[in-house]
Structures are given as C-alpha cells and as structure tokens.
Amino acid sequence: MAIQNAIPLIKGDDTNFNEEQTFYIQINTDIDLTLGFSADFILGDITKHFDSIGEDKRVYPVITHKESQTLDLGYMNGTLKLYDHEGRIRTVMSNI
C-alpha cells in the first residue's frame, strides 16, 4: 500500500468544518482492535485520547481552532500510539 502525502494542517484552522470531519487515521492490522485497545494521537503539544477503536479501525481526531493556534507553521508529523487492555504500547502498521 502506498503511503499518502502528508495532510497539511494550517495554524488557526479547525479540522471540524461545518460539523464535517476533515481527516481520519486508518489503522491497517489484522489485530482485533475492538478488544480493549485505546489510542493517543499526538501532534505538536496536542494529544487526543481515544478510549476505544471501532470496528472500522479508524480514529477521528478533531483539532479545534484554539488548539491549532499552538502549532508551528508548516508541516508536522503526527504520532499514533496504540495501547492494549493492559496499557502496553502496541506497534502496528499505519498510514497517517
């Protein structure tokens, strides 16, 4: 699977325009993520926690306008950390 280009998040923008989600993170794995997995998405000093991951194996970070004011201008790399039911970090292939 080809890795897609980075998604530009612009300082001062909001990733939830008109109640419509503008991006999501698809997790590509054979692991059943509905069995107690949680996740953190980290972008700069912003951390979005997800208590569970749905059957679609996606997480939907919403970064507010106020939060985006703390980001540096330009491209940034986000990090997705998955935790199993015992709180251990698990590594799976993913495209962000």
Side-chain angles (χ1 to χ4, degrees), residues 31-44:
I31 298 170
D32 185 356
L33 297 176
T34 63
L35 298 176
F37 279 80
S38 61
D40 285 336
F41 175 66
I42 304 161
L43 184 67

Side-chain angles (χ1 to χ4, degrees), residues 28-80:
N28 298 318
T29 182
D30 292 332
I31 298 170
D32 185 356
L33 297 176
T34 63
L35 298 176
F37 279 80
S38 61
D40 285 336
F41 175 66
I42 304 161
L43 184 67
D45 63 351
I46 300 169
T47 299
K48 297 292 179 173
H49 180 74
F50 301 90
D51 289 328
S52 62
I53 299 171
E55 291 180 13
D56 63 357
K57 297 183 180 180
R58 295 178 179 174
V59 293
Y60 299 86
V62 174
I63 299 173
T64 66
H65 173 82
K66 183 177 180 180
E67 289 170 324
S68 75
Q69 294 294 325
T70 68
L71 299 176
D72 293 332
L73 291 176
Y75 289 96
M76 298 185 72
N77 292 321
T79 302
L80 182 68

Side-chain angles (χ1 to χ4, degrees), residues 6-48:
I7 301 168
L9 295 177
I10 302 169
K11 184 173 183 174
D13 277 357
D14 188 335
T15 62
N16 187 6
F17 296 100
N18 298 322
E19 311 256 338
E20 184 174 321
Q21 188 68 36
T22 58
F23 78 99
Y24 61 85
I25 299 167
Q26 178 73 49
I27 304 165
N28 298 318
T29 182
D30 292 332
I31 298 170
D32 185 356
L33 297 176
T34 63
L35 298 176
F37 279 80
S38 61
D40 285 336
F41 175 66
I42 304 161
L43 184 67
D45 63 351
I46 300 169
T47 299
K48 297 292 179 173

